[in-house]
Amino acid sequence: MIVLPGDVALKDAVHGPRVRFHEPKSTVCPSDEELNILAELLNRSEKITILGGAGCAGAHAELIEVAGKLQAPIVHALRGKEFIEYDNPYDVGLTGLLGFSSGYHAMTNCEVLLMLGTDFPYRDFYPKDAAIVQIDLRGEHLGRRSKLDFGFIGDTKTTLRALLPKLEQNQYQEHLKHSVEHYRKTRKDLDDLATSNSNKGPIHPQYVARVIDKLAAEDAVFTCDVGYARNLVRTLSHHERKTASDRFLQPWINGQRIAGRHWGAGCLSRPSGHFNVG
């Protein structure tokens, strides 16, 4: 412990040369042998689904290219939404408690689930019969949530770049087509909630957000917090919890889609004309 006299603490700091530290940008990639094993599995499989998370930040181009090669729908975890959903013809929505049925469908109907940069926690949403591959920069997260057939340590961008030359073009397109069509129908159903409903009781929050979206500036920032209801539910008995869940939480779980975008707790920003859940 250092004791600093009061008179010293009140003196002006001496200005000297500043030392600047650059953020490290190290890359981590599985070995060439491991990449060959992964490529062999993917090249012989037809129905592949990608599940991406926050670890896909900065790897959007590589992710889209891999999905095109594999004809794989891309499901995203909530924390991966802002890095995966935009400009993505292979996106089929969220999965998890705030997810879409289309995301769940794409995962449960695949032969291989390729997890990229996600430690997706909801065990019940994992496929039961598919081979599961997890690639994560943090080795301690491999296999924490589900059984794995293969686990590799690597960052998403570097790993996909190294994997791409080893992948063959998947000719089977039905899995992707069915998943995208399922997503289209799911989004339409949720869009219907974002309409005026004045003659049938309280309006959906999706409609409120659609009106706000229409009136707001392109660079508007919105904040919201639904934590009160969730924290309240945690303090209740099982019977009370179910009642509270039906009353407070279910409208958010079943209708998280707002005005062509998605809804969730946290910060909503619109830097490019789109809501992004933070």
Side-chain angles (χ1 to χ4, degrees), residues 25-89:
K25 296 182 178 180
S26 57
T27 59
V28 180
C29 184
S31 68
D32 198 56
E33 181 181 357
E34 290 174 316
L35 290 173
N36 288 336
I37 293 173
L38 176 57
E40 195 276 330
L41 170 67
L42 297 175
N43 287 335
R44 72 168 186 262
S45 302
E46 292 184 335
K47 299 166 63 176
I48 303 165
T49 293
I50 295 172
L51 171 62
C56 291
H60 188 269
E62 290 79 7
L63 181 63
I64 299 302
E65 190 172 354
V66 167
K69 277 270 190 177
L70 300 178
Q71 292 295 288
I74 303 176
V75 183
H76 59 269
L78 181 60
R79 291 184 59 231
K81 173 181 169 62
E82 62 182 299
F83 309 116
I84 295 173
E85 185 182 41
Y86 71 96
D87 297 334
N88 185 351

Side-chain angles (χ1 to χ4, degrees), residues 51 102 206 239:
L51 171 62
S102 53
Q206 290 86 342
H239 174 72

Side-chain angles (χ1 to χ4, degrees), residues 197-208:
N197 198 24
S198 57
N199 295 327
K200 298 182 181 179
I203 62 176
H204 283 285
Q206 290 86 342
Y207 176 64
V208 177

Side-chain angles (χ1 to χ4, degrees), residues 72-205:
I74 303 176
V75 183
H76 59 269
L78 181 60
R79 291 184 59 231
K81 173 181 169 62
E82 62 182 299
F83 309 116
I84 295 173
E85 185 182 41
Y86 71 96
D87 297 334
N88 185 351
Y90 307 102
D91 182 63
V92 294
L94 287 159
T95 189
L97 295 182
L98 291 174
F100 294 180
S101 60
S102 53
Y104 179 80
H105 173 84
M107 285 179 57
T108 55
N109 288 280
C110 67
E111 296 175 8
V112 177
L113 177 65
L114 178 59
M115 297 173 59
L116 300 173
T118 180
D119 193 30
F120 181 70
Y122 304 114
R123 299 174 186 271
D124 291 341
F125 291 82
Y126 283 92
K128 300 298 187 293
D129 301 318
I132 299 179
V133 180
Q134 183 178 3
I135 300 173
D136 202 293
L137 185 60
R138 302 158 298 180
E140 67 273 16
H141 286 186
L142 297 178
R144 285 211 312 172
R145 313 298 189 180
S146 174
K147 64 91 178 175
L148 291 183
D149 293 272
F150 298 97
F152 304 109
I153 298 176
D155 68 83
T156 302
K157 187 181 186 74
T158 305
T159 301
L160 293 186
R161 277 186 173 180
L163 178 64
L164 269 166
K166 301 176 182 293
L167 295 179
E168 301 171 0
Q169 181 63 51
N170 186 3
Q171 301 301 322
Y172 184 80
Q173 300 179 356
E174 293 306 308
H175 177 56
L176 176 61
K177 288 182 178 179
H178 289 161
S179 299
V180 171
E181 178 62 18
H182 194 299
Y183 183 42
R184 186 191 66 79
K185 292 179 179 178
T186 301
R187 294 193 66 145
K188 182 182 182 303
D189 291 341
L190 293 174
D191 271 338
D192 292 341
L193 297 176
T195 56
S196 177
N197 198 24
S198 57
N199 295 327
K200 298 182 181 179
I203 62 176
H204 283 285

